[in-house]
Amino acid sequence: MSVFAPATPFADFIYRHFRSVHALKLGLALLVAVTINAIWAPPHFIWSMVTIVVIMMSLPQVGGAIEKSLQRAIGTCLGSAYGVMLVATVDSYWLIMSLLILAVSLICFISAGRYSYAYLVSGFTIIIVVGDANHDTSEALWRTANILSGCVIAILVSLFIFPIKAKQDWRSQLTHAIDNMAEVLAQHLKAPANHDLDFRAKLEAAMKAVLTQKKLFFSLEWESKTLKKHKVLLSQLANKQVRLITLLELLPLTRWQEEDKDAYLQINAVASELAFYLQQLAEFVAGKAQQLPTLPECLEQELQHRLQLSLASAPITSTIETSTTTASTTDSNAAATNGEVPQGFALTGYSWLIYQLAIAVEALYEDIAIIEIAYNKQPASQITSGKAD
């Protein structure tokens, strides 16, 4: 099933109440641990409960819990193995402590990146196992076994009891970001020429949603083989959202003269299509539309042509004194050759901004189309930009 398919009522209910569900799952996991302790009473079983809390407290999603459990299990096994080896083979207190300090320092030096938590667990497991170097290996082994049992309980509860999927959260954050961007663009286009509307709150909300998407990448890899194969694409998709947000931040800064109002309205008529396409894309990502909406072929080229026509028909009111781009210089020279006064930068710059927005929207469509096609298992030759033929 596609990540953009409509969510089942059950999955939707879990996501809408995920905080309550997560708290319930943590309580159930601890209840399982307490029940095991009541029946068998293994030594040092408190470490099983500590492990469950550490893994599940901050990671409600299935993928995150699996990854953190595996990292904790690996780190525990490695740290425990080294600690037991020290306790069992070295008699000198100072030599044991020296080797312990050396190992923890080395772990601190190499600890970085995605598996930093496994390194962290290895370090403090060595310290827990060695303790005061009393050569009691049974205590170390029981602690290791209890930590591993806590990892298993956390994974099983996360997987099979009201699973909270990172895919659902990622899709919701992507929808939220696109929806906010579409709303900002639509409100700007409907506002008066020199409006003072403040879009910072909506754009900050969109950026926050993008950052949340990035935090979910590791969890997504554990939940979906398809998204794992396209993890680079997920990062690119986030970066393209950031680019679109940046362009939208420039919109309220644009200014023009009253006599340019007609051309401004013509450009906005073209730009309003982009707001419509963004809104359609948000509805598809949210699962409200069954098929990915299509864009016109060569959208940005078509919009560029129409924007040029709207500028050509606009009243000429000002002159560009300085040009920072080759394109602007070329347009000015062409207008001067025809005996016309060059168009003011207010309109040409605004037109360029809308053109860049079109390119950004098209790029967003392309990445989402690739993900959708990958879920549908269509041939790679059919992975296009999602435009109509």
Side-chain angles (χ1 to χ4, degrees), residues 76-123:
T76 297
C77 290
L78 293 177
S80 177
Y82 183 80
V84 170
M85 181 195 71
L86 290 182
V87 172
T89 61
V90 181
D91 293 330
S92 170
Y93 171 82
W94 286 109
L95 181 57
I96 289 180
M97 290 305 172
S98 298
L99 292 174
L100 181 151
I101 293 172
L102 177 63
V104 173
S105 299
L106 179 61
I107 289 171
C108 178
F109 177 75
I110 64 176
S111 175
R114 177 171 181 175
Y115 303 106
S116 58
Y117 182 67
Y119 290 115
L120 170 66
V121 172
S122 296

Side-chain angles (χ1 to χ4, degrees), residues 173-185 202 206 278-279 282-283 288:
Q173 297 298 333
L174 179 59
T175 302
H176 186 56
I178 297 175
D179 200 39
N180 272 280
M181 290 187 284
E183 190 171 345
V184 167
L185 182 56
K202 289 188 177 296
L278 273 177
Q279 191 59 52
E283 291 180 358
K288 297 178 181 178

Side-chain angles (χ1 to χ4, degrees), residues 129-199:
V129 169
V130 172
D132 57 357
N134 60 7
H135 302 282
D136 184 3
T137 56
S138 63
E139 181 177 344
L141 292 175
W142 272 115
R143 286 177 177 175
T144 302
N146 288 326
I147 290 174
L148 293 178
S149 68
C151 292
V152 172
I153 293 172
I155 291 176
L156 293 178
V157 172
S158 297
L159 275 174
F160 299 111
I161 299 179
F162 306 130
I164 301 172
K165 297 297 184 69
K167 292 187 294 183
Q168 182 79 358
D169 195 10
W170 175 78
R171 183 176 79 167
S172 177
Q173 297 298 333
L174 179 59
T175 302
H176 186 56
I178 297 175
D179 200 39
N180 272 280
M181 290 187 284
E183 190 171 345
V184 167
L185 182 56
Q187 288 183 2
H188 171 78
L189 298 177
K190 294 177 182 178
N194 290 310
H195 66 80
D196 57 353
L197 295 177
D198 189 355
F199 299 123

